[in-house]
């Protein structure tokens, strides 16, 4: 991807989320013997656009889980998330829906726009995993469906956060390398922001 059109911010999860700088990331190799699942569900096995990554966060699991599932507060620690609202009350759970927005800069084939993302939680195990999916729509840009999986595992000194996401849709599939690069930068930025926010919080017993 040349410097003339490298995206600066892209967040979906669904996700386009992230600050896009430097060189294009190489998609992470699978780190599990079997595909990750949450309640028996995983990302789209047939999707052409996919990315996965991990980070270890040095703070209790409870802190990380609270940040990630308190959707309405995402804009307070994720600069690429412009707005976020829950569409139903109570704690995040299976069936919960939320709407959020993020800027998507121009690429060679799509204009700069703001994506409106409506996500539905399809699986959730408290303090263990969450999977949501849904479309992202902006003026001149559409992702038919993004499927985003997060898993959280206690490790020595903190929490290992693993994330995977897939995108489908004729528009993004027309340029798989560019879409994959954007997705990768988004997920890496989300992990960096989550780590920074969680490690900056006062620790609580997990």
């Amino acid at each position: 991807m040349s410097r003339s059109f490298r995206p600066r911010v892209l967040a979906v999860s669904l996700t386009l989320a992230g600050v896009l700088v430097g060189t294009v990331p190489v998609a992470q190799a699978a780190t599990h013997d079997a595909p990750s699942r949450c309640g028996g569900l995983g990302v789209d096995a047939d999707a052409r656009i996919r990315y996965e990554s991990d980070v270890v966060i040095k703070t209790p699991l409870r802190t990380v889980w609270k940040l990630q599932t308190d959707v309405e507060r995402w804009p307070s620690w994720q600069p690429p998330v412009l707005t976020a609202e829950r569409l139903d009350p109570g704690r995040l759970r299976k069936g919960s829906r939320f709407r959020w927005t993020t800027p998507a800069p121009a690429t060679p084939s799509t204009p700069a726009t703001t994506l409106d993302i409506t996500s539905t939680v399809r699986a959730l195990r408290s303090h263990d995993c969450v999977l949501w999916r849904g479309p992202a729509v902006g003026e001149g840009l559409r992702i038919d469906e993004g499927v985003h999986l997060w898993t959280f595992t206690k490790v020595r000194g903190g929490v290992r956060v693993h994330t995977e996401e897939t995108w489908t849709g004729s528009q993004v599939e027309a340029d798989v390398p560019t879409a994959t690069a954007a997705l990768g930068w988004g997920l890496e930025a989300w992990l960096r922001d989550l780590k920074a926010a969680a490690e900056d919080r006062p620790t609580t017993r997990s």
Side-chain angles (χ1 to χ4, degrees):
M1 185 181 297
S2 71
R3 292 182 183 275
S4 64
F5 64 82
R6 182 177 297 125
R8 182 173 179 274
V9 177
L10 198 55
V12 169
S13 163
L14 180 168
T15 256
L16 289 166
V19 177
L20 311 182
V21 292
T23 59
V24 173
V26 176
Q28 301 297 298
T31 55
H32 306 285
D33 293 333
S36 297
R37 293 284 187 269
C38 185
L41 300 178
V43 295
D44 188 339
D46 297 322
R48 298 173 60 202
I49 300 163
R50 60 180 59 246
Y51 191 89
E52 65 178 293
S53 192
D54 303 79
V55 71
V56 173
I57 301 178
K58 298 178 180 179
T59 198
L61 174 56
R62 178 177 298 177
T63 300
V64 179
W65 181 260
K66 174 65 174 176
L67 277 169
Q68 186 71 325
T69 58
D70 191 357
V71 171
E72 290 180 309
R73 293 186 60 81
W74 282 358
S76 71
W77 58 269
Q78 287 196 78
V81 178
L82 303 179
T83 65
E85 63 174 325
R86 286 286 306 278
L87 302 180
D88 40 50
R91 291 186 177 182
L92 202 69
R93 62 192 183 279
K94 182 178 179 179
S96 292
R97 299 174 67 245
F98 53 95
R99 180 181 296 122
W100 49 297
T101 61
T102 187
T107 73
S109 58
T110 61
T113 188
T114 296
L115 288 169
D116 189 302
I117 305 156
T118 302
S119 300
T120 301
V121 177
R122 300 299 303 275
L124 183 149
R125 291 199 300 258
S126 182
H127 296 78
D128 180 26
C129 63
V130 60
L131 180 145
W132 58 70
R133 62 195 307 162
V137 181
E139 186 175 350
L141 175 60
R142 177 183 177 89
I143 299 169
D144 291 349
E145 185 168 63
V147 185
H148 199 176
L149 172 67
W150 294 84
T151 62
F152 305 83
T153 306
K154 286 186 180 182
V155 296
R156 185 184 297 273
V159 183
R160 175 179 174 271
V161 180
H162 179 78
T163 186
E164 303 179 28
E165 185 167 359
T166 54
W167 289 351
T168 55
S170 59
Q171 190 172 23
V172 288
E173 289 169 7
D175 188 349
V176 170
T178 295
T180 301
L183 174 58
W185 276 111
L187 294 186
E188 296 293 348
W190 193 319
L191 289 173
R192 288 194 301 270
D193 288 339
L194 180 61
K195 179 178 174 68
E199 292 183 350
D200 190 52
R201 293 289 181 95
T203 59
T204 56
R205 184 172 299 175
S206 54

